[in-house]
Amino acid sequence: MKRTWYSTALLVTAISGLTACEDHPASPNAGFPERIEFVAPRQYPEGIAYSAQLNRFVITSLTQGKLGTVDVNGKYEDLIAPPELISGVGVKVADGRILVCNSDNGVSTKSSPQTATKTAELLVINIGSRQLERRVDLDNLLPNVNHFANDLAIAPDGTVYVTDSFAPVVYRVTRDGQASILVNDSRFASTSFGLNGIVYHPNGYLIVVKTSEGKLFKIDLQNNNAISEVSGVTLQGGDGMTLVGNDLYIVTGSGSQVSQVRSTNNWQSASLVKNDTQGYFQATTNTPVNGRIYTLNARIGEIQQAMGNPALLQSNNYSIQAFK
């Protein structure tokens, strides 16, 4: 059993700061290009966020256990590689910190038999100091099953919610780092890939997508975490997603498109507005900047093909595409 690690002095700072939203509302108003190409050797980035503090996108790495940055001109730079980070998956930036899901699907240079398919953690990293402030174990909450912490959402009070793609649960991590299982439900179970993207709605509920069935679910935080399926849409291969107003922008079609989905009844049901199919290839997730949605083309299909043989993962070229 892994232990939950805290640095006491840094934790106090983290608690006091993790109270607000992601960085994108405060991002600069300068125009961003429609497409950003970048080179990052063997990065295989799964998650993307934007940091106004760095004036760069922040991306994860499934293969190298590190975080990097990409500017609007496509310049990539390594940011930090904490030894605790095996595979970085979903990532958010809030209040000067990077929050990242730590997992292991067996393709990282840091993978081991002890951690592969058994890891679900939340790491909090201070952008200014480049130091790990908090490491929260999640897999300990549901032992003896497989785990893959995938994506996260942050509520205004600083509570973090994390999906697990191999276990049918959503985790809750409070401002003071206390972790618990928010919901454990058979509807989230899958023999392949279950829960994936997650967003927090300001009306007090979560929306999650289940990749294997293309279903959206609503988790009502104000009604005893009641779970209901969002009717009206099926999102084949639904992955990462971003909520803007009453519209969800969801990577679908095995990363070949981004679907804009809208609800007019508080996400009891939803309907498809449009599919943007131009400029996406093996994409994973997206982030909002300056009123636009930017999606990461991550070559995620190569990860799936290389399971058990990480030496096959040699790609260097990636891109970030704006929704049109």
Side-chain angles (χ1 to χ4, degrees):
M1 181 179 290
K2 302 192 297 299
R3 63 188 178 93
T4 302
W5 174 92
Y6 303 100
S7 169
T8 304
L10 289 173
L11 181 58
V12 172
T13 303
I15 292 171
S16 64
L18 269 177
T19 58
C21 303
E22 299 164 50
D23 269 9
H24 55 81
S27 299
N29 292 320
F32 279 43
E34 193 127 305
R35 186 176 180 86
I36 301 169
E37 307 272 357
F38 66 96
V39 176
R42 298 192 67 250
Q43 185 81 13
Y44 289 94
E46 203 281 347
I48 185 170
Y50 187 81
S51 168
Q53 181 176 342
L54 296 172
N55 197 24
R56 288 172 169 81
F57 292 95
V58 175
I59 61 171
T60 61
S61 174
L62 289 172
T63 54
Q64 299 181 62
K66 66 181 181 180
L67 299 169
T69 64
V70 180
D71 69 15
V72 295
N73 298 311
K75 180 182 179 182
Y76 170 83
E77 293 181 355
D78 285 343
L79 181 67
I80 184 174
E84 297 85 358
L85 182 58
I86 302 171
S87 282
V89 195
V91 64
K92 293 287 186 290
V93 175
D95 300 311
R97 292 169 181 85
I98 298 170
L99 297 87
V100 60
C101 293
N102 186 26
S103 298
D104 185 3
N105 60 355
V107 298
S108 173
T109 56
K110 301 178 184 179
S111 295
S112 71
Q114 291 73 35
T115 59
T117 71
K118 302 298 181 184
T119 303
E121 295 179 342
L122 175 68
L123 304 186
V124 180
I125 297 162
N126 186 287
I127 293 176
S129 67
R130 309 293 201 269
Q131 296 297 310
L132 180 68
E133 290 186 346
R134 183 189 304 171
R135 179 185 181 188
V136 182
D137 236 334
L138 302 173
D139 50 71
N140 284 345
L141 299 170
L142 191 65
N144 303 316
V145 301
N146 288 345
H147 291 282
F148 187 84
N150 192 312
D151 199 10
L152 68 154
I154 308 172
D157 66 357
T159 303
V160 181
Y161 300 94
V162 180
T163 57
D164 194 320
S165 298
F166 293 166
V169 300
V170 175
Y171 306 103
R172 178 178 185 265
V173 181
T174 63
R175 286 181 58 194
D176 60 358
Q178 298 302 307
S180 61
I181 292 177
L182 178 77
V183 289
N184 182 343
D185 194 280
S186 60
R187 285 170 286 185
F188 297 157
S190 175
T191 57
S192 55
F193 217 72
L195 293 183
N196 201 320
I198 182 171
V199 296
Y200 175 87
H201 194 284
N203 286 350
Y205 52 86
L206 304 171
I207 304 170
V208 296
V209 64
K210 184 177 180 183
T211 298
S212 58
E213 297 178 359
K215 293 181 177 180
L216 289 175
F217 293 90
K218 175 180 174 180
I219 304 172
D220 193 342
L221 303 174
Q222 298 178 333
N223 185 25
N224 199 31
N225 304 323
I227 300 169
S228 57
E229 183 179 340
V230 179
S231 63
V233 290
T234 300
L235 302 159
Q236 185 267 326
D239 201 328
M241 56 190 187
T242 293
L243 178 68
V244 179
N246 285 313
D247 286 5
L248 273 175
Y249 296 83
I250 310 173
V251 176
T252 57
S254 300
S256 63
Q257 63 185 19
V258 174
S259 299
Q260 181 184 4
V261 176
R262 180 172 299 160
S263 177
T264 58
N265 59 3
N266 225 24
W267 292 95
Q268 297 176 54
S269 64
S271 59
L272 178 67
V273 177
K274 67 174 290 187
N275 287 322
D276 183 9
T277 60
Q278 300 300 311
Y280 304 101
F281 177 71
Q282 297 184 12
T284 49
T285 191
N286 44 37
T287 191
V289 186
N290 297 335
R292 302 194 72 180
I293 304 299
Y294 283 86
T295 296
L296 178 63
N297 288 315
R299 296 183 176 270
I300 193 66
E302 295 178 24
I303 293 285
Q304 298 162 358
Q305 295 167 6
M307 290 299 183
N309 189 3
L312 296 175
L313 298 172
Q314 298 295 327
S315 291
N316 303 326
N317 297 289
Y318 307 92
S319 61
I320 301 168
Q321 175 68 45
F323 186 87
K324 299 177 290 298

